[in-house]
Amino acid sequence: DYSIPDEFDFDEDDELPLSQMKKGKKKKAKSPVAKSKPAPKHTSKSKSAPISKSPSSIFYAECEKGRLVQEVLCRWWYAIDWPGQDCLSSPGPNYDALSAFPGVFVCTVGDGVGEILDRRDKSTCPNFENMVKKGTEELKGLLEKAIKGQKKELEKAGEKGSETDSNLDDVLRWCKSLKDGAVEREAEKTIKANNLKL
């Protein structure tokens, strides 16, 4: 038999259901510890340091090409096959694939145990650095392909006509309305005005 040690102090409320405890008529005894006073408010008028923005956040916020890049990146897997099949073969018997990261392997035998080997092609990686180098026409094509793929998945899940589906239609209309030359000129102005190194 298991018994509760005497040093644990239980009172009659321990056996009450929670609903009765909420309605309980007993008042808690005041704590003998004095309440601490709230900390005085900071009255200094000094300004905090300005928040540093990344080149990507500036580009996303200030030009249509930035939004185009962002829209592609949040659904790239519907449009881009990355990493390619060429990097998926094992580098040898001492390496095991990291299943969540196709093309990435970890050494499990020998002196290199724990060493990570990334065989994915970084020059084709769907990231900001690579996407911003693409032209507007290519980005629009990628976004259209990605949205079509995403809408197909929504339909399979029985979500055709949902709010997400409607939002994708809005993004697709916006994408198709973009004028390639104007978007590129605006992007160049944004890069120059903010002295961005992309």
Side-chain angles (χ1 to χ4, degrees), residues 25-159:
K25 297 175 184 174
K26 290 186 178 182
K27 292 185 179 179
K28 289 186 177 179
K30 290 190 176 184
S31 170
V33 178
K35 290 184 178 178
S36 61
K37 294 181 182 179
K41 291 183 179 177
H42 186 62
T43 57
S44 169
K45 293 184 179 181
S46 65
K47 293 182 179 179
S48 59
I51 298 172
S52 175
K53 291 184 178 182
S54 69
S56 60
S57 66
I58 293 169
F59 199 70
Y60 290 153
E62 295 190 14
C63 67
E64 296 283 32
K65 186 172 180 180
R67 178 178 173 200
L68 189 55
V69 167
Q70 191 173 36
E71 292 287 352
V72 170
L73 288 176
C74 72
R75 57 183 59 83
W76 67 265
W77 51 94
Y78 294 109
I80 300 169
D81 181 28
W82 190 87
Q85 294 295 318
D86 56 326
C87 73
L88 301 181
S89 60
S90 177
N94 295 348
Y95 286 86
D96 289 334
L98 293 179
S99 60
F101 302 96
V104 180
F105 302 86
V106 62
C107 182
T108 55
V109 177
D111 293 337
V113 168
E115 202 172 280
I116 301 292
L117 178 62
D118 188 348
R119 299 181 71 188
R120 300 173 298 178
D121 183 358
K122 278 77 167 167
S123 69
T124 61
C125 174
N127 61 18
F128 175 78
E129 184 180 327
N130 290 332
M131 289 294 145
V132 78
K133 293 174 187 172
K134 295 184 182 301
T136 300
E137 183 177 5
E138 184 178 1
L139 288 169
K140 285 170 54 178
L142 288 170
L143 182 55
E144 288 180 28
K145 183 177 179 182
I147 288 175
K148 286 176 185 171
Q150 191 172 1
K151 286 176 72 63
K152 190 181 283 187
E153 291 298 317
L154 279 173
E155 191 171 346
K156 283 182 193 175
E159 294 292 320

